[in-house]
Amino acid sequence: MPTRRQFMLDSAALLGAACLPALAADKDAPIRMGYFDSYEPFSFRGGDGAMRGALVEGMALVGRNAGYRLDNQGFPWARAQAMVENGSLDGFCTTITKGRLVYADFAPTPIVSVRFGIYHRADDLRPLEIRSVADMRAFRHGNFIGAGYPKENLEPDQMQWLKDEETVLRMIDAGRLDIYVEGEVVTRTKLRQLGLLERFRFTPAPFLPPVNFCFGLRRSYPDAAAVLARMEAAAQAARRSGELDAILAAATKR
């Protein structure tokens, strides 16, 4: 249910960027963005050390059109979120959860939208019968520390929490876990890198809510509401033009 604060942000965005004060982006300090540094093709560290991926490129487009410079930094995901919360970073691009709304507000138009489903061993057909979150209780379920979606939409107390996605996938492959709920694009890329793609199967889970990665800004950021409204207007324009979809399509083909 949208909060009153979020409703006000949406309404302000509809006025359009032209109704907001002009910004001297070259004179202002950049917005310090925190990304998961191992979430390819959405966000990852390139060979030159710079952050790359669909989220990074999408945010660069939106930020540029809104008149802001972004400083992109990558960390383990739990650390990046903590840094936004404590003010060491300013923003991120992630799913909107109750926990994150405690310290950040979001521009609701997604930079990237993906469907989530269930990853499991290709020779284990039991997960094909899962029709609800409650059905997952019969399986050994794993996820990585810092993931917000399972805490919001699944049953986190039923899961084994591990340090990273690779560990989760290797434990499933070894028969020590059964299922892992994640986005189809990201995990397929990881499985290909690990040489495990043929050993896993992705089963769509239409009962799960859609997954939207949106720009979030810490509430303590100066003029946060105005910044969010301007970024939301730019995100809406990029979504209408098809530019954000093109960035995601290109990232998934690399």
Side-chain angles (χ1 to χ4, degrees), residues 20-100:
L20 296 169
L23 300 174
D26 292 338
K27 296 180 181 179
D28 294 340
I31 298 173
R32 300 168 300 174
M33 295 290 297
Y35 294 95
F36 188 2
D37 61 359
S38 183
Y39 200 50
E40 192 172 352
F42 288 169
S43 60
F44 61 97
R45 197 176 301 282
D48 59 358
M51 290 303 299
R52 305 188 185 283
L55 295 180
V56 180
E57 294 169 23
M59 283 303 311
L61 169 69
V62 170
R64 182 169 59 251
N65 290 347
Y68 295 104
R69 292 185 296 120
L70 306 181
D71 174 20
N72 301 317
Q73 303 179 34
F75 301 94
W77 187 223
R79 186 189 309 172
Q81 295 173 80
M83 292 175 73
V84 175
E85 185 173 10
N86 68 27
S88 301
L89 293 173
D90 303 316
F92 44 16
C93 187
T94 187
T95 57
I96 303 172
T97 66
K98 293 177 182 176
R100 291 167 184 151

Side-chain angles (χ1 to χ4, degrees), residues 160-179:
Q160 185 170 343
W161 292 91
L162 300 159
K163 66 176 183 177
D164 54 31
E165 183 179 50
E166 178 177 344
T167 303
V168 176
L169 294 172
R170 290 197 181 279
M171 288 185 68
I172 292 175
D173 185 53
R176 297 166 60 192
L177 289 173
D178 300 317
I179 61 173

Side-chain angles (χ1 to χ4, degrees), residues 163-201:
K163 66 176 183 177
D164 54 31
E165 183 179 50
E166 178 177 344
T167 303
V168 176
L169 294 172
R170 290 197 181 279
M171 288 185 68
I172 292 175
D173 185 53
R176 297 166 60 192
L177 289 173
D178 300 317
I179 61 173
Y180 169 49
V181 173
E182 242 296 341
E184 184 175 12
V185 174
V186 172
T187 302
R188 182 190 291 124
T189 300
K190 177 62 71 174
L191 286 168
R192 186 180 298 112
Q193 293 171 346
L194 296 174
L196 297 175
L197 186 59
E198 301 304 318
R199 296 174 63 85
F200 278 74
R201 178 169 180 163

Side-chain angles (χ1 to χ4, degrees), residues 6 53 61 76-77 79 87 89 92 103 105 109 114 122 124 127 153 155-157 179 199 202:
Q6 202 68 54
L61 169 69
W77 187 223
R79 186 189 309 172
L89 293 173
F92 44 16
Y103 58 88
D105 281 322
T109 295
V114 296
D124 182 5
N153 299 292
E155 295 179 329
D157 58 332
I179 61 173
R199 296 174 63 85
F202 176 80

Side-chain angles (χ1 to χ4, degrees), residues 13-24:
L14 293 176
L15 295 176
C19 298
L20 296 169
L23 300 174

